[in-house]
PDB file of all heavy atoms in Angstrom:
ATOM      1  N   ILE T  14     124.196  44.080 168.155  1.00 95.00           N
ATOM      2  CA  ILE T  14     124.278  42.644 167.847  1.00 95.00           C
ATOM      3  C   ILE T  14     124.058  42.408 166.352  1.00 95.00           C
ATOM      4  O   ILE T  14     124.760  41.599 165.724  1.00 95.00           O
ATOM      5  CB  ILE T  14     123.254  41.857 168.699  1.00 95.00           C
ATOM      6  CG1 ILE T  14     123.742  41.815 170.159  1.00 95.00           C
ATOM      7  CG2 ILE T  14     123.057  40.445 168.159  1.00 95.00           C
ATOM      8  CD1 ILE T  14     122.738  41.259 171.136  1.00 95.00           C
ATOM      9  N   ARG T  15     123.101  43.128 165.779  1.00 95.00           N
ATOM     10  CA  ARG T  15     122.879  43.005 164.333  1.00 95.00           C
ATOM     11  C   ARG T  15     124.119  43.453 163.559  1.00 95.00           C
ATOM     12  O   ARG T  15     124.530  42.821 162.590  1.00 95.00           O
ATOM     13  CB  ARG T  15     121.662  43.833 163.910  1.00 95.00           C
ATOM     14  CG  ARG T  15     121.233  43.585 162.457  1.00 95.00           C
ATOM     15  CD  ARG T  15     119.957  44.311 162.093  1.00 95.00           C
ATOM     16  NE  ARG T  15     120.132  45.754 162.142  1.00 95.00           N
ATOM     17  CZ  ARG T  15     119.499  46.574 162.968  1.00 95.00           C
ATOM     18  NH1 ARG T  15     118.639  46.090 163.834  1.00 95.00           N
ATOM     19  NH2 ARG T  15     119.707  47.872 162.949  1.00 95.00           N
ATOM     20  N   MET T  16     124.751  44.530 164.019  1.00 96.00           N
ATOM     21  CA  MET T  16     125.972  45.030 163.383  1.00 96.00           C
ATOM     22  C   MET T  16     127.094  43.992 163.464  1.00 96.00           C
ATOM     23  O   MET T  16     127.807  43.746 162.479  1.00 96.00           O
ATOM     24  CB  MET T  16     126.412  46.333 164.063  1.00 96.00           C
ATOM     25  CG  MET T  16     127.702  46.932 163.528  1.00 96.00           C
ATOM     26  SD  MET T  16     128.246  48.333 164.534  1.00 96.00           S
ATOM     27  CE  MET T  16     128.932  47.490 165.967  1.00 96.00           C
ATOM     28  N   LEU T  17     127.245  43.346 164.634  1.00 95.00           N
ATOM     29  CA  LEU T  17     128.287  42.324 164.808  1.00 95.00           C
ATOM     30  C   LEU T  17     128.049  41.106 163.917  1.00 95.00           C
ATOM     31  O   LEU T  17     128.980  40.377 163.594  1.00 95.00           O
ATOM     32  CB  LEU T  17     128.361  41.884 166.277  1.00 95.00           C
ATOM     33  CG  LEU T  17     128.819  42.941 167.286  1.00 95.00           C
ATOM     34  CD1 LEU T  17     128.766  42.383 168.701  1.00 95.00           C
ATOM     35  CD2 LEU T  17     130.223  43.447 166.968  1.00 95.00           C
ATOM     36  N   ASN T  18     126.791  40.898 163.541  1.00 94.00           N
ATOM     37  CA  ASN T  18     126.447  39.796 162.638  1.00 94.00           C
ATOM     38  C   ASN T  18     126.349  40.275 161.199  1.00 94.00           C
ATOM     39  O   ASN T  18     125.531  39.775 160.415  1.00 94.00           O
ATOM     40  CB  ASN T  18     125.147  39.132 163.098  1.00 94.00           C
ATOM     41  CG  ASN T  18     125.347  38.288 164.346  1.00 94.00           C
ATOM     42  OD1 ASN T  18     125.822  37.151 164.266  1.00 94.00           O
ATOM     43  ND2 ASN T  18     125.014  38.837 165.499  1.00 94.00           N
ATOM     44  N   LEU T  19     127.201  41.254 160.854  1.00 93.00           N
ATOM     45  CA  LEU T  19     127.321  41.792 159.486  1.00 93.00           C
ATOM     46  C   LEU T  19     125.992  42.338 158.976  1.00 93.00           C
ATOM     47  O   LEU T  19     125.647  42.238 157.806  1.00 93.00           O
ATOM     48  CB  LEU T  19     127.858  40.718 158.534  1.00 93.00           C
ATOM     49  CG  LEU T  19     129.166  40.036 158.971  1.00 93.00           C
ATOM     50  CD1 LEU T  19     129.603  39.023 157.920  1.00 93.00           C
ATOM     51  CD2 LEU T  19     130.260  41.059 159.229  1.00 93.00           C
ATOM     52  N   ASN T  20     125.221  42.929 159.936  1.00 92.00           N
ATOM     53  CA  ASN T  20     123.933  43.565 159.627  1.00 92.00           C
ATOM     54  C   ASN T  20     122.923  42.605 159.011  1.00 92.00           C
ATOM     55  O   ASN T  20     122.053  43.007 158.232  1.00 92.00           O
ATOM     56  CB  ASN T  20     124.136  44.805 158.751  1.00 92.00           C
ATOM     57  CG  ASN T  20     124.804  45.933 159.526  1.00 92.00           C
ATOM     58  OD1 ASN T  20     124.197  46.535 160.410  1.00 92.00           O
ATOM     59  ND2 ASN T  20     126.075  46.185 159.225  1.00 92.00           N
ATOM     60  N   GLN T  21     123.049  41.329 159.382  1.00 89.00           N
ATOM     61  CA  GLN T  21     122.052  40.331 158.967  1.00 89.00           C
ATOM     62  C   GLN T  21     121.029  40.164 160.085  1.00 89.00           C
ATOM     63  O   GLN T  21     121.308  40.467 161.250  1.00 89.00           O
ATOM     64  CB  GLN T  21     122.727  38.985 158.699  1.00 89.00           C
ATOM     65  CG  GLN T  21     123.721  38.997 157.547  1.00 89.00           C
ATOM     66  CD  GLN T  21     124.459  37.678 157.428  1.00 89.00           C
ATOM     67  OE1 GLN T  21     124.026  36.671 157.963  1.00 89.00           O
ATOM     68  NE2 GLN T  21     125.581  37.701 156.731  1.00 89.00           N
ATOM     69  N   ALA T  22     119.859  39.676 159.721  1.00 81.00           N
ATOM     70  CA  ALA T  22     118.817  39.421 160.720  1.00 81.00           C
ATOM     71  C   ALA T  22     119.322  38.387 161.724  1.00 81.00           C
ATOM     72  O   ALA T  22     119.975  37.406 161.359  1.00 81.00           O
ATOM     73  CB  ALA T  22     117.556  38.912 160.036  1.00 81.00           C
ATOM     74  N   ALA T  30     123.170  35.277 164.042  1.00 59.00           N
ATOM     75  CA  ALA T  30     122.747  35.142 162.649  1.00 59.00           C
ATOM     76  C   ALA T  30     122.735  33.673 162.259  1.00 59.00           C
ATOM     77  O   ALA T  30     123.368  32.830 162.894  1.00 59.00           O
ATOM     78  CB  ALA T  30     123.682  35.927 161.738  1.00 59.00           C
ATOM     79  N   VAL T  34     129.960  33.433 161.166  1.00 83.00           N
ATOM     80  CA  VAL T  34     131.129  33.954 160.456  1.00 83.00           C
ATOM     81  C   VAL T  34     132.095  34.503 161.504  1.00 83.00           C
ATOM     82  O   VAL T  34     131.715  35.319 162.336  1.00 83.00           O
ATOM     83  CB  VAL T  34     130.732  35.088 159.474  1.00 83.00           C
ATOM     84  CG1 VAL T  34     131.970  35.647 158.793  1.00 83.00           C
ATOM     85  CG2 VAL T  34     129.738  34.584 158.450  1.00 83.00           C
ATOM     86  N   TYR T  35     133.337  34.023 161.466  1.00 91.00           N
ATOM     87  CA  TYR T  35     134.338  34.577 162.373  1.00 91.00           C
ATOM     88  C   TYR T  35     134.825  35.907 161.826  1.00 91.00           C
ATOM     89  O   TYR T  35     135.035  36.050 160.616  1.00 91.00           O
ATOM     90  CB  TYR T  35     135.502  33.599 162.547  1.00 91.00           C
ATOM     91  CG  TYR T  35     135.086  32.362 163.308  1.00 91.00           C
ATOM     92  CD1 TYR T  35     134.919  31.145 162.664  1.00 91.00           C
ATOM     93  CD2 TYR T  35     134.833  32.432 164.671  1.00 91.00           C
ATOM     94  CE1 TYR T  35     134.505  30.007 163.361  1.00 91.00           C
ATOM     95  CE2 TYR T  35     134.421  31.318 165.381  1.00 91.00           C
ATOM     96  CZ  TYR T  35     134.260  30.110 164.727  1.00 91.00           C
ATOM     97  OH  TYR T  35     133.848  29.015 165.422  1.00 91.00           O
ATOM     98  N   LYS T  36     135.002  36.883 162.715  1.00 95.00           N
ATOM     99  CA  LYS T  36     135.315  38.233 162.239  1.00 95.00           C
ATOM    100  C   LYS T  36     136.164  38.991 163.257  1.00 95.00           C
ATOM    101  O   LYS T  36     136.332  38.547 164.406  1.00 95.00           O
ATOM    102  CB  LYS T  36     134.021  38.990 161.942  1.00 95.00           C
ATOM    103  CG  LYS T  36     133.082  39.098 163.138  1.00 95.00           C
ATOM    104  CD  LYS T  36     131.655  39.429 162.739  1.00 95.00           C
ATOM    105  CE  LYS T  36     130.888  38.225 162.292  1.00 95.00           C
ATOM    106  NZ  LYS T  36     130.183  37.520 163.389  1.00 95.00           N
ATOM    107  N   PRO T  79     136.535  38.686 157.572  1.00 95.00           N
ATOM    108  CA  PRO T  79     135.957  40.024 157.430  1.00 95.00           C
ATOM    109  C   PRO T  79     136.197  40.869 158.683  1.00 95.00           C
ATOM    110  O   PRO T  79     136.343  40.325 159.783  1.00 95.00           O
ATOM    111  CB  PRO T  79     134.465  39.749 157.240  1.00 95.00           C
ATOM    112  CG  PRO T  79     134.238  38.447 157.925  1.00 95.00           C
ATOM    113  CD  PRO T  79     135.497  37.656 157.784  1.00 95.00           C
ATOM    114  N   ALA T  80     136.237  42.166 158.503  1.00 97.00           N
ATOM    115  CA  ALA T  80     136.417  43.086 159.634  1.00 97.00           C
ATOM    116  C   ALA T  80     135.194  43.982 159.750  1.00 97.00           C
ATOM    117  O   ALA T  80     134.731  44.549 158.758  1.00 97.00           O
ATOM    118  CB  ALA T  80     137.669  43.925 159.446  1.00 97.00           C
ATOM    119  N   VAL T  81     134.651  44.086 160.965  1.00 97.00           N
ATOM    120  CA  VAL T  81     133.548  45.001 161.257  1.00 97.00           C
ATOM    121  C   VAL T  81     134.145  46.257 161.879  1.00 97.00           C
ATOM    122  O   VAL T  81     134.789  46.194 162.931  1.00 97.00           O
ATOM    123  CB  VAL T  81     132.539  44.357 162.236  1.00 97.00           C
ATOM    124  CG1 VAL T  81     131.455  45.369 162.623  1.00 97.00           C
ATOM    125  CG2 VAL T  81     131.924  43.110 161.634  1.00 97.00           C
ATOM    126  N   SER T 105     137.570  41.560 153.881  1.00 95.00           N
ATOM    127  CA  SER T 105     136.496  42.484 153.508  1.00 95.00           C
ATOM    128  C   SER T 105     136.227  43.439 154.673  1.00 95.00           C
ATOM    129  O   SER T 105     136.490  43.105 155.832  1.00 95.00           O
ATOM    130  CB  SER T 105     135.231  41.721 153.138  1.00 95.00           C
ATOM    131  OG  SER T 105     134.775  40.952 154.229  1.00 95.00           O
ATOM    132  N   HIS T 107     133.397  45.818 156.603  1.00 97.00           N
ATOM    133  CA  HIS T 107     131.995  46.178 156.833  1.00 97.00           C
ATOM    134  C   HIS T 107     132.015  47.454 157.682  1.00 97.00           C
ATOM    135  O   HIS T 107     132.317  47.407 158.882  1.00 97.00           O
ATOM    136  CB  HIS T 107     131.260  45.051 157.552  1.00 97.00           C
ATOM    137  CG  HIS T 107     131.151  43.807 156.730  1.00 97.00           C
ATOM    138  ND1 HIS T 107     129.996  43.427 156.092  1.00 97.00           N
ATOM    139  CD2 HIS T 107     132.094  42.862 156.404  1.00 97.00           C
ATOM    140  CE1 HIS T 107     130.207  42.299 155.422  1.00 97.00           C
ATOM    141  NE2 HIS T 107     131.464  41.930 155.600  1.00 97.00           N
ATOM    142  N   ASN T 109     130.641  50.631 159.660  1.00 98.00           N
ATOM    143  CA  ASN T 109     129.482  51.093 160.427  1.00 98.00           C
ATOM    144  C   ASN T 109     129.842  52.402 161.127  1.00 98.00           C
ATOM    145  O   ASN T 109     130.754  52.429 161.950  1.00 98.00           O
ATOM    146  CB  ASN T 109     129.091  50.045 161.474  1.00 98.00           C
ATOM    147  CG  ASN T 109     128.719  48.713 160.859  1.00 98.00           C
ATOM    148  OD1 ASN T 109     127.575  48.490 160.489  1.00 98.00           O
ATOM    149  ND2 ASN T 109     129.702  47.817 160.732  1.00 98.00           N
ATOM    150  N   LYS T 137     130.086  46.800 152.671  1.00 95.00           N
ATOM    151  CA  LYS T 137     128.918  47.668 152.855  1.00 95.00           C
ATOM    152  C   LYS T 137     129.287  48.823 153.767  1.00 95.00           C
ATOM    153  O   LYS T 137     130.218  48.741 154.575  1.00 95.00           O
ATOM    154  CB  LYS T 137     127.748  46.890 153.454  1.00 95.00           C
ATOM    155  CG  LYS T 137     127.031  46.017 152.429  1.00 95.00           C
ATOM    156  CD  LYS T 137     125.684  45.566 152.951  1.00 95.00           C
ATOM    157  CE  LYS T 137     124.943  44.812 151.848  1.00 95.00           C
ATOM    158  NZ  LYS T 137     123.676  44.228 152.321  1.00 95.00           N
ATOM    159  N   HIS T 139     127.251  51.390 156.489  1.00 96.00           N
ATOM    160  CA  HIS T 139     125.990  51.602 157.212  1.00 96.00           C
ATOM    161  C   HIS T 139     126.081  52.812 158.140  1.00 96.00           C
ATOM    162  O   HIS T 139     127.094  53.010 158.818  1.00 96.00           O
ATOM    163  CB  HIS T 139     125.650  50.376 158.076  1.00 96.00           C
ATOM    164  CG  HIS T 139     125.311  49.151 157.291  1.00 96.00           C
ATOM    165  ND1 HIS T 139     124.026  48.837 156.915  1.00 96.00           N
ATOM    166  CD2 HIS T 139     126.099  48.164 156.803  1.00 96.00           C
ATOM    167  CE1 HIS T 139     124.034  47.700 156.229  1.00 96.00           C
ATOM    168  NE2 HIS T 139     125.282  47.268 156.152  1.00 96.00           N
TER     169      HIS T 139
END
Side-chain angles (χ1 to χ4, degrees):
I14 287 171
R15 189 175 65 244
M16 178 188 77
L17 294 177
N18 286 280
L19 307 182
N20 290 290
Q21 296 174 18
V34 178
Y35 291 106
K36 58 199 82 90
V81 175
S105 61
H107 295 257
N109 300 273
K137 283 195 175 174
H139 292 269

